[in-house]
Amino acid sequence: MKNGKVIFPGTFDPFTLGHLDLLNRLAIIFDKVYISLAINLDKSPTFTIEERANMIRKSIGESDTIEIVSIDGLVIEYMKKNDIKVLARGIRDSEDLYYELKMSRMNKLLYPEMDTIFLHTSENYAYLSSSLIKQILKFNGPIDGLVPEIIIDDIKSKFIKK
């Protein structure tokens, strides 16, 4: 039995196999998954919102149950407007958990009707982060097995010196 709607926010800069794993697991649990490209003022993204949305679209293919949205503002405001009561976050380690618990408490304070669920990252991707991918690419390292194969060239194109 599935459970309504969930939002999975992140910068996804770039989209990794860890993100894809979490997204696919959420799609099994929920009827509708909104993958939200959030603007994070603490980060300077390498890829534009459009580029990130295109990479995700290429990675997941056509789907009636997954919708890509971009949010300029608080995710909880989008949730309220669209009657989404569950926010999902992936947890790799205790550092992630500490940060995400603080965020979930603040979100709950601002939107008492919502809840946050935490999915533990699959063991294969517990070390993986978008920041790590970018670091590897700065030194022309391989990213095979870290991001969906279909978007490797899209990602590498941002790092190739012309």
Side-chain angles (χ1 to χ4, degrees), residues 1-57:
M1 181 173 107
K2 290 195 178 189
N3 300 298
K5 301 185 271 189
V6 65
I7 193 161
F8 178 37
T11 48
F12 307 106
D13 185 49
F15 191 68
T16 70
L17 286 175
H19 295 135
L20 183 60
D21 176 61
L22 288 170
L23 184 59
N24 287 333
R25 289 165 53 204
L26 288 168
I28 292 168
I29 301 167
F30 291 91
D31 295 313
K32 183 78 169 187
V33 179
Y34 295 86
I35 184 165
S36 159
L37 297 164
I39 296 173
N40 185 333
L41 300 177
D42 295 331
K43 296 182 179 180
S44 299
T46 302
F47 300 92
T48 66
I49 291 272
E50 295 79 20
E51 289 170 329
R52 288 180 271 157
N54 287 334
M55 285 189 281
I56 294 168
R57 206 170 283 111

Side-chain angles (χ1 to χ4, degrees), residues 90-132:
I91 301 293
R92 292 173 295 208
D93 55 27
S94 60
E95 192 175 306
D96 281 355
L97 181 60
Y98 178 70
Y99 173 80
E100 294 298 344
L101 280 173
K102 289 191 299 182
M103 288 296 295
S104 78
R105 288 179 183 137
M106 182 56 68
N107 287 337
K108 185 78 169 170
L109 178 69
L110 298 172
Y111 183 26
E113 296 82 13
M114 66 87 63
D115 279 300
T116 302
I117 63 166
F118 301 110
L119 287 181
H120 191 277
T121 306
S122 295
E123 189 175 323
N124 295 352
Y125 307 117
Y127 62 90
L128 191 53
S129 71
S130 294
S131 300
L132 180 61

Side-chain angles (χ1 to χ4, degrees), residues 56-71:
I56 294 168
R57 206 170 283 111
K58 278 175 127 175
S59 298
I60 64 173
E62 290 297 319
S63 174
D64 294 332
T65 60
I66 299 172
E67 184 174 334
I68 303 164
V69 297
S70 65
I71 297 174

Side-chain angles (χ1 to χ4, degrees), residues 67-85:
E67 184 174 334
I68 303 164
V69 297
S70 65
I71 297 174
D72 185 11
L74 295 175
V75 171
I76 57 164
E77 292 303 322
Y78 182 89
M79 292 174 69
K80 287 177 186 178
K81 287 179 191 163
N82 293 279
D83 193 35
I84 301 168
K85 303 272 195 277

